[in-house]
Amino acid sequence: MTRLVVMLDLLPSAWAKMDLPTTVHQVLIFLNAHLAMDSSNTVAVIASLPKTSRMIYPTSSQSVMLPSEDSGKIEKFASMNDIVASQLDAAYVQATAEVNDPTALAATLTKAICYIQREKSDRSGHAALGGHQDNDSRILVISVSADRMDQYISTMNCIFAAQTRLVRVDALVIDTTSAYLQQAAGLTGGIYTEYQSADLPHLLQHLLSLYLAGSKERHLLALPTKPSIDFRAACFCHGKAIEEYGFVCSECLSVFCKASGKMKECMTCHCKYG
């Protein structure tokens, strides 16, 4: 059994230059392929929106018209496709109302990890939230956003939680790069790749080739060479890796480089020093 949670970043300013409907269609085919791999497999979709996140699938409040017997559609797939497509449309409309705000990566990761742990608890028949190695749980993050320093601590906390709970984090980053998601994939045993928007019409092939196989089968595949991951902390003042030593705010744990060592107030929480 494999639990797959897909996190789709709906940053309006990025998708305004790309084809979102085509991308969603290919992601739906990928989800259908995952469900077809095993009857016990499950999927969930969460949208990362400006300032918040939204559970797209599964949802109990959505009513879907089931396909007719002669439509040639499989009921399980058709209902999921209809729900995800309609909910993502509504979520994107909500996102465009706050076009200047960044998407909430940490909040979405938190929701994904909590959903997986709740599913583990419900299926095991007890309330314990420990990770089970016999179950393959993973998160696929499809991101179009650059890293933001104000989300560093909360995002890293989510990554450490996923590592502790044996949840793999895969990342597909479009037209940008993400040190956070590189570390997430590196620490949890996931796959990190960068993709160009010009190749979005062929995204399905990329998804099926790299992200469909479960954890037990991935060693049989010729996966891309893992990039060199820089695990050094990045300073909040310039966004650069700490070279020799840095300073940590005792209040909010923000990290600053030696160039900002003499400041009298934290740039993040505005705590007064001295």
Side-chain angles (χ1 to χ4, degrees):
M1 174 185 179
T2 301
R3 299 181 182 88
L4 172 64
V5 179
V6 173
M7 286 175 42
L8 183 58
D9 181 358
L10 292 181
L11 183 67
S13 59
W15 285 112
K17 307 171 186 177
M18 296 183 279
D19 190 350
L20 179 59
T22 298
T23 303
V24 170
H25 177 68
Q26 295 183 83
V27 170
L28 287 173
I29 297 175
F30 169 72
L31 293 176
N32 290 341
H34 171 76
L35 292 175
M37 292 282 287
D38 192 298
S39 60
S40 63
N41 285 355
T42 63
V43 297
V45 180
I46 304 176
S48 183
L49 305 173
K51 295 183 178 181
T52 187
S53 62
R54 179 169 172 176
M55 195 74 187
I56 300 297
Y57 181 86
T59 175
S60 58
S61 59
Q62 182 79 21
S63 59
V64 178
M65 184 177 295
L66 298 178
S68 59
E69 294 182 0
D70 58 350
S71 67
K73 297 181 179 180
I74 300 176
E75 178 180 319
K76 182 178 181 180
F77 296 168
S79 62
M80 181 197 69
N81 292 346
D82 291 343
I83 292 174
V84 173
S86 62
Q87 290 282 0
L88 281 176
D89 284 343
Y92 188 69
V93 171
Q94 176 185 344
T96 54
E98 301 180 56
V99 66
N100 295 322
D101 295 315
T103 50
L105 172 63
T108 314
L109 272 173
T110 299
K111 184 169 289 186
I113 296 171
C114 289
Y115 172 81
I116 289 174
Q117 291 305 121
R118 185 181 65 195
E119 284 290 295
K120 286 183 178 181
S121 177
D122 291 345
R123 289 183 179 271
S124 62
H126 56 77
L129 296 180
H132 301 289
Q133 296 191 34
D134 57 334
N135 288 323
D136 181 12
S137 300
R138 63 183 190 268
I139 300 169
L140 170 60
V141 183
I142 302 177
S143 175
V144 295
S145 299
D147 292 339
R148 289 184 58 89
M149 293 310 302
D150 57 356
Q151 296 191 37
Y152 174 75
I153 294 177
S154 53
T155 301
M156 292 306 299
N157 284 339
C158 291
I159 294 171
F160 295 143
Q163 182 184 30
T164 302
R165 297 301 180 182
L166 305 179
V167 176
R168 291 177 183 260
V169 179
D170 296 327
L172 174 64
V173 181
I174 303 174
D175 278 357
T176 185
T177 185
S178 173
Y180 299 167
L181 293 177
Q182 281 187 26
Q183 293 187 41
L187 290 171
T188 63
I191 299 173
Y192 172 89
T193 58
E194 295 176 2
Y195 201 77
Q196 299 302 313
S197 59
D199 298 325
L200 279 178
H202 313 292
L203 177 63
L204 178 61
Q205 179 181 354
H206 190 77
L207 291 172
L208 295 177
S209 300
L210 296 182
Y211 298 107
L212 183 61
S215 302
K216 295 180 180 179
E217 295 79 27
R218 287 188 177 181
H219 72 282
L220 302 173
L221 303 178
L223 298 174
T225 303
K226 291 186 177 181
S228 178
I229 303 174
D230 189 352
F231 287 103
R232 291 177 298 175
C235 68
F236 282 44
C237 41
H238 304 96
K240 298 181 180 180
I242 301 295
E243 294 291 343
E244 299 177 4
Y245 61 88
F247 300 88
V248 180
C249 174
S250 59
E251 192 71 22
C252 68
L253 301 182
S254 295
V255 181
F256 302 99
C257 63
K258 59 182 179 182
S260 304
K262 295 183 179 181
M263 62 184 185
K264 298 182 179 180
E265 179 180 301
C266 176
M267 298 179 184
T268 304
C269 67
H270 305 292
C271 174
K272 304 289 184 180
Y273 302 139

